[in-house]
Amino acid sequence: MAMFRNFAVIFSVLALVPLCFAASGGGYLYPQFYDHSCPKAKEIVKSIVAEAVAKETRMAASLLRLHFHDCFVKGCDASLLLDSSGSIISEKQSNPNRNSARGFEVIDQIKAALEKECPQIVSCADILTLAARDSTILAGGPSWDVPLGRRDSLGASLSGSNNDIPAPNNTLPTIITKFKLQGLDLVDLVALSGGHTIGLSRCTSFRQRLYNQSGNGLADSTLEASYASQLRSGCPRSGGDNNLFPLDLVSPTKFDNFYFKNILASKGLLNSDQVLFTKSAETMALVKLYAENNELFLEQFARSMIKMGNITPLTGSRGQIRKNCRKLNS
């Protein structure tokens, strides 16, 4: 169909369009930000991410998730990376991140290499953004030019992390509201949810669907019965909180549209996945569209990632360029 444009043409066009976004602090984000101050920056990030994913395939999803959880709290400013210290209470202790956010050591490794190459030039916030893009590519997903020039926050928000990040058991209206608060619309919501095409989830994130979805002691009726039985075998009523299951049971390490095909088959793992199909005609239509057309999904995922990466970044003289992503400069 004419609306489904040739994938190669789409990305050729995207590559030619200069990506330049106005940001808070009067500065701009643009892909060439480090071309003169640290020309090897992108290659250093790419190389270390590739090493990490080669060692552990799951790391691609983990690094993508770090960027998402960073941007939804105070914007894309690496606040998530700060450890607790002094007046700072780390976002790593929040419900969405505790015992599940991972990949911090990879970010540390990238930062150490960049500090050696060009001290105090490349921000931790930009490292997170580049690592998310590179992880997506390594899993077989789309590429895109990453606008750069973010600076790092001077604080963290535990309450923001607890309240602003969409949760697995949130209702669809709540999830939509949380996206809207970040300037992201329904198309962004469904496309970015497609990031669950890779990665693993803990039993504790979906147990409710297996045993007591509506408070009546019954499983979620929108969960396919044989799949629910399979999940119960590894996710008991109590215990096993950290048992891991693929978010995409068909191709858990490949970045593709099987996530959406699974939802059509009532095999979305998280409640927040399945409600995209069962609770809204608009999101249902998008799920069907991406299930039918992988190239369209990949194109929109790239566009929505650029948009998410532009959530209230610090630029100009705001914030700082941390020497160590885990703590403020002394």
Side-chain angles (χ1 to χ4, degrees), residues 49-116:
V49 170
E51 288 176 13
V53 173
K55 289 178 184 174
E56 183 191 20
T57 307
R58 181 189 176 196
M59 188 55 68
S62 299
L63 293 172
L64 179 58
R65 186 168 182 256
L66 283 185
H67 179 48
F68 178 80
H69 282 210
D70 178 47
C71 289
F72 265 67
V73 183
K74 298 172 76 257
C76 307
D77 61 1
S79 60
L80 171 58
L81 301 180
L82 288 170
D83 289 337
S84 294
S85 175
S87 62
I88 294 172
I89 303 175
S90 178
E91 293 171 17
K92 297 173 186 177
Q93 299 178 23
S94 71
N95 291 327
N97 295 325
R98 189 173 59 249
N99 298 323
S100 65
R102 58 197 302 277
F104 298 109
E105 294 79 9
V106 178
I107 301 301
D108 290 339
Q109 187 181 350
I110 295 169
K111 184 59 175 173
L114 287 169
E115 285 299 297
K116 186 176 180 181

Side-chain angles (χ1 to χ4, degrees), residues 145-268:
D145 285 334
V146 177
L148 299 166
R150 298 164 192 80
R151 289 169 65 84
D152 300 325
S153 74
L154 299 175
S157 177
L158 181 63
S159 62
S161 189
N162 276 321
N163 297 322
D164 297 342
I165 297 171
N169 287 317
N170 279 160
T171 64
L172 183 57
T174 297
I175 296 169
I176 290 172
T177 297
K178 289 183 176 182
F179 271 76
K180 279 186 176 177
L181 287 171
Q182 307 297 344
L184 301 171
D185 59 25
L186 280 183
V187 173
D188 300 315
L189 189 165
V190 178
L192 291 172
S193 294
H196 283 174
T197 180
I198 56 173
L200 305 172
S201 180
R202 298 185 301 153
C203 165
T204 186
S205 295
F206 59 86
R207 175 185 282 124
Q208 176 181 325
R209 298 191 73 203
L210 304 180
Y211 301 104
N212 193 26
Q213 175 68 1
S214 302
N216 57 6
L218 299 176
D220 186 344
S221 61
T222 67
L223 185 61
E224 198 272 332
S226 63
Y227 182 45
S229 177
Q230 177 186 335
L231 293 171
R232 279 192 288 269
S233 69
C235 183
R237 284 182 181 272
S238 61
D241 283 6
N242 294 321
N243 292 352
L244 296 171
F245 296 79
L247 286 157
D248 172 353
L249 77 162
V250 176
S251 56
T253 61
K254 189 173 188 304
F255 204 99
D256 57 26
N257 66 338
F258 266 104
Y259 165 81
F260 297 104
K261 294 180 180 181
N262 295 337
I263 290 175
L264 292 184
S266 299
K267 294 181 179 180

Side-chain angles (χ1 to χ4, degrees), residues 250-290:
V250 176
S251 56
T253 61
K254 189 173 188 304
F255 204 99
D256 57 26
N257 66 338
F258 266 104
Y259 165 81
F260 297 104
K261 294 180 180 181
N262 295 337
I263 290 175
L264 292 184
S266 299
K267 294 181 179 180
L269 181 62
L270 306 179
N271 179 70
S272 56
D273 297 325
Q274 198 61 46
V275 293
L276 297 177
F277 188 69
T278 60
K279 297 297 185 181
S280 159
E282 292 91 345
T283 57
M284 175 193 285
L286 288 164
V287 169
K288 288 181 177 178
L289 189 62
Y290 298 148

